[in-house]
Amino acid sequence: MKTAAQSVLPGQSRAHEVVLSVRALAVDIRTHRGTVRAVNDVNFEARAGETLALLGESGCGKSMTAKALAGIMDPVCDLAGGEVVLNGTDLAALTPKERLKFAGPELGIVFQDALTALNPVYTVGTQLGEAFRIHRGLGAKEAKVQAIELMERVGIPEPESRVNSYPHQFSGGMRQRILIAMAVALNPRLLIADEPTTALDVTVQAQIMQLLRKLREEGQMAVVLITHDLAVVAEEADSVAVMYAGNVVECGPVSEVFSDPRHPYTKGLLESVPVHVGRGARLLSIAGSPPELHDIPAGCVYQSRCPLVQDICRSERPQLLPVTDRPVNDRPVDDRPVDLQDDADDYAGALLSRPGRAAACHFSEEINNV
Amino acid sequence: MSEPLLQVDGLCKTFHVAKSARGNTRLKALDGINLTVGRGETLGLVGESGCGKSTLARTLMMLETPDEGTVTFEGTNPFGLRGKELLSWRRRVQMVFQDPFASLNARMNAGDIVSEPWATHRNLYPSSREREARVRELLHMVGLRPSDARKSPQEFSGGQRQRLGIARALALNPDVIILDEPVSALDLSVQAQILNLLNDLQQELGVSYIFISHDLTVVRHVADRVAVMYLGRIIETGATEEVFDHPRHPYTAALMSASPKLDVTGVKRDRIVLQGELPSPLDPPSGCRFRTRCWKAQDICAEVAPEPRVTAAPDGGLRLAECHFPLETVKGLTGATATAG
């Protein structure tokens, strides 16, 4: 009943190739108190067979980013700029019709709340077959056969008899499986999972994560996992982009970002988890709360809660820049990339290149002194 | 642990519901619950949704009447009390709710919310001057400003609202506070603030907590002892470190293993991933209730419900696990995984 964590198969042709590239994405929301910028200058890449986590607290813009990628924003939201390049095509530049035709089969999305995401008046078979009817032109009968196959693929027992059931007749975990099945129906290259397990119990959460891993590896999908849970990121993702008040404040490979955070917010989040301290000991919390979207300050978005804040942070917004390398000798051996661990002597004093590591902080070098 | 403040013996609660698939109309939400809470102690209560955690909380709050079993609170059974005695008992057990957005009346200001319990418990702070002073004191205790008393709940953030909920629970100077998922609706950075506050209040006031949560990391941080529930029964209890590091019931082991861990070393763990989901409490499995998902289940598990096995933990406390085949020799989860294979 246990399953070992599966490893990524090496040597697959499409593995690690960039599937999605988001550049300078910005989203505005029109409110009665004026237009606010909910997502500001967000950049990241998602690669085939890998999971990128968008990590942040509520209101940081992570779900808004997901909706902008999928082109399903609320009517009061506008794409204010940027590119969403999926397989070489900029989705942001397409008309809705072109987008449906192109992105429909290439991009799948899984929502948090399966009960509201599924239509209660249609059977799951009808809803699962929809993608095949619209994009593959199949008839109702053929679509149903495909739906049964899909249900089998995501581990729903007795799919032949359950294909005619309605969403409310399934348990929470099974509904989430159905939602995942809908998202992967046409073997998309990109799967966006917006808090896919938040509403589920831990034992079921583990099952769903296992399923997502399996599907990702089978189809070499790029997965964008949106979550607020640091532990889920640590266990499931390859790379992470930490968002705060609509901005990506830090990104990079998960193991590096979590072991050596270079933004005070990332460090504060990591320290808020009651895992490093003894029972009952004081947790290091981040004082205050995130800024309202209506009054995001000029300068750094994190200034009001930052222990390192200086004058420059109030006047000038830090750009997301590659983090400055530290000499190998300054870091413990275990912390170095694997290929450098064996022959550390040869590299003594060498500077490490940190692909993909970036942080938006004027003082990212001084983080460890916080 | 000192002598228990609150003791629960054989508590059962059955609800009558519409017919299930097998024609059963009796839902046994609690099926023989035994637990104790010491003075100034935190008991963590963990389990998946539908296991009866909230029914237990509601029964301890006397919002439900149990069918069987007794609750003993400093030697008296509150379910036999009437009138003034009952009122004075109710004062001593209070609750903080999960959702800080739904549990505060939007039409009242913060001061009214905190002082509302005194409308029932009139003789606690008879004069309005005393009440006003006490509201200011309570707001200060939970980290809000006295001037916040005039604000309405909508003007507060989620964390501040939860502070308000805690202040309301403290208004009657209770001995036990039942915290039903008090931080699960909050963001991580705010969650840490609230956990620190709860810890400070416990140190200061010596109040006992029953801390209900599905977040095992949080429970491990706050609880002195842990009780694990599955389908209306407590299947394992013991000191927190013992239960987390050396689970004896397979379900506890699976629960610990399934919960994601923040491990920055990047080493992927082997996990016990249970098959299936929680069976319906309307038609619980015969014998051991966990057998349908258990990798150690044998014929006897379907026939005979396991008796609680009590063992002495290394620290002198008592461990209890309801299993025919408890994980005996296991040293932490790695061992448990090996057994699972």
Side-chain angles (χ1 to χ4, degrees):
Chain A
M1 304 256 171
K2 61 122 201 176
T3 311
Q6 289 153 332
S7 58
V8 179
L9 294 171
Q12 287 207 357
S13 58
R14 284 162 55 194
H16 312 303
E17 143 195 56
V18 175
V19 171
L20 172 80
S21 161
V22 176
R23 291 186 213 125
L25 184 74
V27 177
D28 282 344
I29 309 178
R30 279 171 276 131
T31 74
H32 57 272
R33 284 165 64 192
T35 302
V36 295
R37 185 54 64 90
V39 175
N40 186 29
D41 193 23
V42 164
N43 295 281
F44 58 81
E45 279 176 351
R47 291 164 185 275
E50 293 186 11
T51 300
L52 167 83
L54 282 186
L55 173 70
E57 298 179 289
S58 46
C60 73
K62 55 190 195 301
S63 286
M64 191 61 79
T65 306
K67 286 181 175 174
L69 297 184
I72 48 170
M73 286 186 295
D74 294 330
V76 292
C77 303
D78 296 310
L79 201 61
E83 292 176 0
V84 179
V85 181
L86 179 64
N87 274 347
T89 309
D90 182 10
L91 297 183
L94 298 181
T95 65
K97 221 174 182 179
E98 289 169 338
R99 187 187 176 101
L100 178 71
K101 211 170 161 207
F102 175 77
E106 292 283 324
L107 184 153
I109 183 161
V110 179
F111 299 97
Q112 172 178 352
D113 186 354
L115 196 56
T116 44
L118 292 167
N119 190 328
V121 303
Y122 291 105
T123 63
V124 298
T126 312
Q127 296 183 60
L128 283 168
E130 196 180 7
F132 297 103
R133 293 198 308 275
I134 293 174
H135 290 285
R136 299 265 162 89
L138 299 189
K141 255 192 191 151
E142 297 158 306
K144 197 178 202 173
V145 174
Q146 294 285 343
I148 291 170
E149 207 169 280
L150 264 180
M151 288 170 80
E152 209 159 273
R153 209 172 131 202
V154 297
I156 295 173
E158 300 162 42
E160 288 86 356
S161 61
R162 304 221 66 183
V163 70
N164 292 323
S165 303
Y166 290 88
H168 73 269
Q169 294 169 299
F170 290 84
S171 67
M174 286 298 151
R175 276 183 219 134
Q176 201 64 37
R177 284 173 193 268
I178 291 164
L179 213 57
I180 291 170
M182 281 171 75
V184 300
L186 301 173
N187 299 317
R189 303 249 285 175
L190 173 70
L191 181 70
I192 301 170
D194 187 357
E195 305 263 14
T197 59
T198 306
L200 304 173
D201 282 317
V202 278
T203 57
V204 181
Q205 180 175 338
Q207 295 169 2
I208 296 294
M209 280 303 176
Q210 194 181 37
L211 172 67
L212 280 175
R213 265 199 306 274
K214 181 189 105 172
L215 293 170
R216 183 191 74 184
E217 270 141 40
E218 280 174 4
Q220 283 298 314
M221 284 186 301
V223 177
V224 176
L225 177 70
I226 290 161
T227 181
H228 66 278
D229 191 332
L230 288 141
V232 167
V233 174
E235 296 221 325
E236 305 295 337
D238 300 289
S239 51
V240 60
V242 184
M243 288 189 72
Y244 186 80
N247 290 259
V248 172
V249 293
E250 176 158 15
C251 62
V254 173
S255 54
E256 286 192 34
V257 172
F258 280 13
S259 60
D260 181 24
R262 293 299 191 90
H263 193 283
Y265 177 61
T266 317
K267 189 175 162 71
L269 273 186
L270 286 162
E271 286 170 346
S272 302
V273 182
V275 70
H276 304 293
V277 292
R279 179 154 57 81
R282 209 160 177 80
L283 296 169
L284 295 165
S285 59
I286 305 176
S289 44
E292 293 267 339
L293 288 178
H294 285 284
D295 45 40
I296 291 198
C300 178
V301 286
Y302 190 59
Q303 56 178 277
S304 62
R305 305 173 81 185
C306 184
L308 289 176
V309 65
Q310 310 264 338
D311 286 345
I312 185 175
C313 306
R314 298 194 180 92
S315 57
E316 198 178 311
R317 180 158 304 175
Q319 297 293 308
L320 188 68
L321 296 172
V323 294
T324 335
D325 300 331
R326 285 182 195 170
V328 169
N329 283 351
D330 289 1
R331 306 169 67 216
V333 172
D334 302 349
D335 204 23
R336 295 173 201 166
V338 180
D339 51 332
L340 289 186
Q341 277 178 20
D342 296 335
D343 37 23
D345 289 342
D346 299 351
Y347 286 86
L351 290 178
L352 283 176
S353 68
R354 300 269 198 96
R357 255 335 271 286
C361 178
H362 291 300
F363 301 100
S364 64
E365 272 295 271
E366 286 157 44
I367 296 302
N368 282 342
N369 306 328
V370 174
Chain B
M1 194 182 72
S2 55
E3 145 189 6
L5 177 69
L6 180 75
Q7 183 162 352
V8 176
D9 291 300
L11 204 65
C12 293
K13 176 71 192 173
T14 306
F15 294 106
H16 294 269
V17 295
K19 274 191 180 168
S20 79
R22 283 192 224 159
N24 203 342
T25 59
R26 292 160 57 79
L27 189 155
K28 243 181 166 179
L30 301 179
D31 191 5
I33 299 283
N34 302 306
L35 59 85
T36 56
V37 183
R39 197 173 279 281
E41 182 190 50
T42 301
L43 174 74
L45 197 57
V46 300
E48 296 178 276
S49 48
C51 73
K53 301 188 298 277
S54 293
T55 305
L56 178 56
R58 289 175 60 82
T59 311
L60 293 178
M61 287 290 292
M62 298 185 65
L63 299 171
E64 306 283 356
T65 318
D67 307 329
E68 274 176 56
T70 55
V71 176
T72 317
F73 189 83
E74 286 196 327
T76 49
N77 181 0
F79 287 100
L81 299 177
R82 290 286 175 275
K84 274 190 179 159
E85 283 175 325
L86 177 62
L87 196 67
S88 81
W89 189 85
R90 281 194 187 276
R91 181 189 70 73
R92 304 179 64 179
V93 183
Q94 288 295 309
M95 189 154 174
V96 173
F97 301 90
Q98 171 172 4
D99 185 348
F101 293 88
S103 57
L104 302 175
N105 189 338
R107 289 168 177 266
M108 294 166 78
N109 69 32
D112 292 341
I113 286 170
V114 174
S115 58
E116 195 185 13
W118 303 326
T120 307
H121 300 263
R122 285 174 189 281
N123 44 15
L124 208 56
Y125 296 101
S127 79
S128 62
R129 184 177 298 173
E130 272 177 290
R131 286 198 294 270
E132 276 166 31
R134 183 66 181 151
V135 165
R136 282 196 297 274
E137 197 182 347
L138 284 167
L139 290 177
H140 177 73
M141 278 164 76
V142 299
L144 295 172
R145 285 192 303 270
S147 60
D148 289 336
R150 282 188 297 276
K151 287 190 187 171
S152 69
Q154 298 88 299
E155 295 175 66
F156 294 102
S157 68
Q160 288 173 320
R161 284 174 192 224
Q162 203 56 304
R163 288 173 191 268
L164 210 51
I166 294 168
R168 175 174 61 185
L170 290 172
L172 297 176
N173 311 320
D175 297 301
V176 179
I177 299 182
I178 299 171
L179 303 153
D180 191 357
E181 304 266 10
V183 295
S184 59
L186 305 176
D187 276 325
L188 187 60
S189 64
V190 180
Q191 174 181 313
Q193 295 170 8
I194 298 294
L195 292 178
N196 282 339
L197 171 68
L198 288 171
N199 194 17
D200 292 347
L201 290 172
Q202 189 170 46
Q203 303 281 325
E204 201 178 313
L205 306 170
V207 60
S208 305
Y209 291 144
I210 297 177
F211 195 103
I212 301 174
S213 181
H214 68 277
D215 187 334
L216 298 177
T217 320
V218 169
V219 171
R220 179 167 195 151
H221 181 72
V222 300
D224 300 301
R225 285 187 310 123
V226 175
V228 184
M229 280 186 84
Y230 190 79
L231 279 186
R233 278 191 80 85
I234 290 177
I235 49 113
E236 178 157 9
T237 59
T240 305
E241 274 84 9
E242 272 294 309
V243 173
F244 273 80
D245 295 337
H246 309 291
R248 301 199 70 219
H249 196 288
Y251 176 64
T252 313
L255 199 63
M256 303 301 167
S257 173
S259 138
K261 310 245 178 340
L262 183 61
D263 184 358
V264 295
T265 56
V267 180
K268 300 283 180 213
R269 300 178 292 133
D270 271 6
R271 300 218 289 202
I272 307 169
V273 177
L274 286 180
Q275 302 300 306
E277 292 174 35
L278 202 68
S280 162
L282 273 171
D283 303 303
S286 65
C288 171
R289 3 198 99 239
F290 183 58
R291 69 176 168 84
T292 50
R293 302 170 78 191
C294 183
W295 65 91
K296 302 190 83 182
Q298 308 207 359
D299 292 347
I300 187 175
C301 302
E303 288 151 18
V304 185
E307 288 293 314
R309 294 188 187 200
V310 182
T311 46
D315 65 351
L318 285 181
R319 285 294 303 282
L320 180 150
E322 283 188 359
C323 182
H324 289 300
F325 308 102
L327 308 166
E328 296 275 3
T329 53
V330 166
K331 293 275 177 281
L333 281 179
T334 345
T337 320
T339 329

